[in-house]
Amino acid sequence: MSDRLGHASYGKFILLAAISKVLLMDRSYMALGGGGFLLPLFAAALMAGLMVMLHRGGRRAFVLKNGQRPDGAMRIAMGLVALGIFFEVVSLVGSTAVNMKYETFLTTDEGQLAAAVLGAMALAAIQGLTGLEGAGKIGLVVTLLILLLVLSAGYSNYDGFRIFPLLSGDGRQYVLPLMEWLMAFWPVVLLWVFPKKEVHAPEMIKSGLKGILWGGLWCAVVYLGCVLVRSPFSAQPGYSPVEFLFEQATMGRAFYRLDPLISIAITMVTVVTGALALSVCGVLLQQIIGLPHKRPVVALTAALALLVLYWVLTPGSPLWGSLAMIRSLAPGLMLSGLLLRTVWGRSGCHEG
């Protein structure tokens, strides 16, 4: 593999994924009570622990040297991680397509929007980590500036009483949302997917912890902003908590509506995050199959994701309306693969 993970970009990729997750936050989270904004912080703490575990278990990583092939157990672990991240791609693209339809392209089919987003992701993934690093920096800066603008402009519409009740029902209904928020920080697995220089390991862990910390804080702040302006129509189809937050932000007559900025923010961060996810899937599947290059695997993965999305977004199809189910399966699959590889103490590979 020619891609090499840089310690400076590691934290930025984690932050990008977290921002894309909160921008596409599902409306069902608004029913969890005002204290739901703490879930991203709990998820960040759990993923920080996972990152330290992956660092200490580096000898079990998915990085193979030239001529090496994974054994059966390692193939299963790779496959589970790849499937979990693949489901996250499907969820990411599906949510983006639905948001774009309701926000801007009212007469455009959701499948066409999904195809356009996936095509951009696949092209970016083929360029490798170097291209994604540059695009990610630009997208991150622009998106964070937009979020700062919107959060400050909507201050007059915040109502502190909307945070109550802090909890809704018992604790069991928070388990699944917490698992889903873990995927906001899924790029921590990059430690086990792309080769890195061991001399940079301390800097990489420091960068990763910064990315998780800032990602958790941004998710919590945006989530809290959505709670403080939440609408009685929060359960309606097509309702986006973050979109409503953008709609409530005004800056005089010159900038009376800032909600069109959400499309810019979502597009910039989700394309880079999705491209990174496709690249990870491509690398893992390439090693499972034993192909010399990841490009055809990335293209095939994107095509398969488009097929799944067509079934998910088309009324009457076998998987119609199952986007939430796919999103809920992603963390369990990814964590199962990492756990399997962790407990399997052998090298996991042999000479081809």
Side-chain angles (χ1 to χ4, degrees):
M1 291 179 297
S2 59
D3 286 333
R4 184 175 291 274
L5 180 63
H7 63 88
S9 60
Y10 182 47
K12 294 184 180 68
F13 283 142
I14 296 175
L15 180 55
L16 266 172
I19 296 297
S20 67
K21 188 75 170 181
V22 74
L23 287 178
L24 295 169
M25 184 170 57
D26 191 77
R27 65 181 185 272
S28 63
Y29 294 161
M30 293 295 99
L32 295 176
F37 78 94
L38 296 174
L39 289 176
L41 298 178
F42 292 143
L46 292 174
M47 292 305 279
L50 176 64
M51 186 190 67
V52 174
M53 182 198 75
L54 295 180
H55 169 63
R56 293 180 176 178
R59 64 186 179 87
R60 298 185 177 91
F62 296 136
V63 179
L64 302 179
K65 299 179 181 179
N66 292 333
Q68 289 185 332
R69 292 291 181 267
D71 61 15
M74 189 172 183
R75 280 192 170 95
I76 294 174
M78 284 179 167
L80 288 172
V81 173
L83 186 58
I85 296 176
F86 173 79
F87 279 0
E88 183 65 15
V89 172
V90 172
S91 172
L92 184 69
V93 177
S95 300
T96 303
V98 171
N99 181 275
M100 292 173 68
K101 179 177 177 62
Y102 280 97
E103 175 65 25
T104 307
F105 304 99
L106 297 176
T107 60
T108 306
D109 182 71
E110 293 173 350
Q112 295 176 354
L113 295 173
V117 174
L118 260 176
M121 289 179 177
L123 289 175
I126 290 174
Q127 303 304 315
L129 289 183
T130 303
L132 292 179
E133 288 175 7
K137 289 178 182 178
I138 298 173
L140 192 58
V141 171
V142 173
T143 302
L144 292 181
L145 288 176
I146 290 175
L147 286 175
L148 281 174
L149 175 65
V150 170
L151 289 169
S152 58
Y155 178 79
S156 60
N157 294 309
Y158 294 158
D159 184 355
F161 288 101
R162 291 195 178 103
I163 200 172
F164 300 105
L166 288 174
L167 300 177
S168 177
D170 54 30
R172 289 177 295 180
Q173 66 177 347
Y174 291 89
V175 175
L176 182 58
L178 177 60
M179 291 291 291
E180 293 177 355
W181 274 111
L182 292 177
M183 293 304 290
F185 311 97
W186 70 263
V188 299
V189 305
L190 298 178
L191 277 177
W192 270 17
V193 177
F194 294 103
K196 57 188 181 299
K197 295 181 178 179
E198 291 301 324
V199 69
H200 292 156
E203 291 86 353
M204 188 165 294
I205 296 300
K206 184 178 180 180
S207 174
L209 288 175
K210 285 183 178 179
I212 293 174
L213 173 63
W214 284 110
L217 289 175
W218 273 104
C219 288
V221 169
V222 175
Y223 193 138
L224 180 60
C226 293
V227 169
L228 296 180
V229 299
R230 58 180 166 175
S231 164
F233 305 104
S234 300
Q236 296 299 317
Y239 175 87
S240 167
V242 178
E243 181 182 338
F244 190 77
L245 174 64
F246 273 61
E247 290 176 354
Q248 299 305 301
T250 59
M251 296 185 66
R253 294 184 177 180
F255 298 96
Y256 185 69
R257 292 191 63 185
L258 299 179
D259 50 297
L261 294 176
I262 189 174
S263 298
I264 299 175
I266 288 177
T267 302
M268 297 194 76
V269 296
T270 55
V271 169
V272 177
T273 304
L276 179 64
L278 284 177
S279 183
V280 171
C281 290
V283 169
L284 293 175
L285 294 175
Q286 169 203 353
Q287 295 185 6
I288 292 173
I289 301 172
L291 295 178
H293 303 289
K294 73 172 183 180
R295 291 187 176 182
V297 184
V298 169
L300 182 61
T301 303
L304 181 59
L306 182 59
L307 178 61
V308 173
L309 281 165
Y310 175 79
W311 287 338
V312 169
L313 299 175
T314 302
S317 63
L319 295 177
W320 181 49
S322 60
L323 196 61
M325 181 192 70
I326 291 175
R327 182 174 60 245
S328 65
L329 290 174
L333 290 167
M334 186 187 76
L335 294 176
S336 296
L338 295 175
L339 179 62
L340 175 62
R341 184 65 187 124
T342 300
V343 300
W344 191 260
R346 301 178 183 178
S347 63
C349 57
H350 55 80
E351 299 298 328

